[in-house]
Amino acid sequence: MELQGRLDTLQAQGLAVAAISYDPESVLADFSARRGIRFPLLSDPGSLTIKRYGLFNTTVPETNTQTYGVPFPGTFMLDARGVVTARFFEAAYQERNTVSSILARLGSTIDVPATRVSSPQVEVTSFSTDATVAPGTHFSIVVDVQPKPGMHVYAPGVTGYRPVNLTIDPARWIALSAAIYPPSEDYHFKPLDEHVPVYVRRFRIAEDVVVDASPEAQNALKDISSIKLRGVLSYQACDDRVCFSPQTVPLEWTVAVRQLDRERVKR
C-alpha cells in the first residue's frame, strides 16, 4: 500500500515499480483488486527466483506455513539497462523500508510536509519521510541544512570547533540508527593556515527509524494513534571573518500509526 501511495511520485521521476512475492497468482490478484494496486505484482511459485538471487529468508521455519518462502525484505534500484544501482534490505521479514525513506537516502526531493527554521547563518528544513507508519515500518528523519552565502558549517571530525550533530530522543517502540552525514569538503583558513572539514553547500542528514514489530509492540500500538519524536540539531557556523557561537535548534516530528493489513485469501 505504501508503494501504491507513492506511485504517482515515482512515475513523475521516471521510475517504474514491480514487486515479487512467493504468493500464488490468485492471492496477488485478490490483494491487487482489494487494494487498488496499479503496478505489477509478480508471482514466484516455490520461491525459485527468490532463491536464485540468494534472498530466501532462512530465519522462517518450514513449519510456518503462512510465511515460509518469503524473501528477506528489500528493494533493488535498477537503471534503464537493468543494472542494479542500489539496494536496501532488512534482516527481519517484519520490517520494510518505505519508498520515501529510500528516495531520501538517495538525495531525492520528497513531497511531504516540512518544518523550516531560519537563522542568520543557516536555513534548516526538517521532515519525516512518512506521515503514517505501522509496526515494522522503516522510515527516515531528514534534516536539510543550507548555509547562508559566505557561511560554512563544521562537519563531523573537526577539532577545535563544534561539529554539526543531529540527536533524536529515545521513544518507546522506536529503534534509532546513527545519523548519516554526507562527505565534507576541506576549508583552508589562511590566517591560521588551518584546514578543517566543513559544509558550504546544502547538505542532508538522515537518521533511520524503525517501528518495533514485536508481538508486544503490535499489541501496544493498537491503542496509539500517533508517535511524537523530539530531537535537537546543533551546529557551529563561521564566515571568513567571524566564528559564531554554537547554536541548537529543537525539532519534533509526529507520525500517525496504523495497523498492519492481515487480511489474506486462502491459498
Side-chain angles (χ1 to χ4, degrees):
M1 286 302 295
E2 193 268 335
L3 272 173
Q4 179 60 46
R6 292 292 182 190
L7 188 59
D8 291 342
T9 299
L10 293 170
Q11 291 176 339
Q13 297 186 24
L15 298 174
V17 178
I20 187 169
S21 168
Y22 72 118
D23 290 301
E25 290 183 30
S26 59
V27 171
L28 297 182
D30 176 82
F31 177 78
S32 180
R34 283 191 291 110
R35 298 300 184 181
I37 304 300
R38 295 188 288 113
F39 58 86
L41 300 179
L42 308 178
S43 176
D44 184 21
S47 301
L48 298 180
T49 300
I50 291 170
K51 292 175 181 176
R52 189 175 302 140
Y53 279 85
L55 304 177
F56 190 81
N57 196 322
T58 55
T59 67
V60 180
E62 192 170 356
T63 54
N64 189 334
T65 57
Q66 287 294 318
T67 55
Y68 182 73
V70 299
F72 286 105
T75 301
F76 285 113
M77 304 289 289
L78 284 69
D79 63 16
R81 298 172 298 163
V83 176
V84 175
T85 58
R87 58 182 181 177
F88 301 85
F89 276 82
E90 300 291 350
Y93 72 87
Q94 300 95 336
E95 298 177 6
R96 293 291 187 275
N97 279 288
T98 68
V99 173
S100 296
S101 69
I102 290 174
L103 292 176
R105 279 177 275 172
L106 292 174
S108 300
T109 300
I110 310 297
D111 184 18
V112 294
T115 299
R116 292 174 174 82
V117 180
S118 180
S119 77
Q121 298 88 33
V122 300
E123 299 279 353
V124 177
T125 303
S126 170
F127 60 90
S128 166
T129 56
D130 294 82
T132 303
V133 300
T137 297
H138 184 153
F139 65 107
S140 298
I141 295 298
V142 177
V143 178
D144 288 331
V145 182
Q146 175 67 67
K148 295 286 183 69
M151 295 286 178
H152 56 266
V153 174
Y154 291 104
V158 72
T159 57
Y161 302 93
R162 184 75 59 85
V164 65
N165 184 61
L166 175 64
T167 303
I168 300 177
D169 297 338
R172 191 158 176 76
W173 314 122
I174 291 293
L176 300 169
S177 300
I180 300 172
Y181 301 84
S184 60
E185 58 184 279
D186 179 75
Y187 175 75
H188 182 205
F189 185 55
K190 293 180 180 179
L192 296 178
D193 193 24
E194 180 181 62
H195 289 266
V196 289
V198 301
Y199 298 116
V200 177
R201 301 170 182 82
R202 184 182 184 91
F203 63 96
R204 170 168 290 181
I205 306 170
E207 183 156 348
D208 294 341
V209 183
V210 181
V211 183
D212 192 343
S214 67
E216 180 187 7
Q218 292 185 45
N219 185 60
L221 290 171
K222 289 179 181 178
D223 302 319
I224 296 176
S225 60
S226 65
I227 296 174
K228 179 172 286 189
L229 298 172
R230 293 183 173 88
V232 171
L233 176 73
S234 59
Y235 67 91
Q236 185 173 16
C238 301
D239 60 20
D240 291 337
R241 296 177 299 134
V242 179
C243 256
F244 300 91
S245 299
Q247 303 292 312
T248 58
V249 179
L251 300 168
E252 64 178 42
W253 311 267
T254 300
V255 293
V257 177
R258 64 171 175 82
Q259 301 307 308
L260 294 172
D261 177 13
R262 298 190 178 279
E263 184 179 358
R264 295 179 64 86
V265 297
K266 293 183 178 179
R267 291 173 174 267

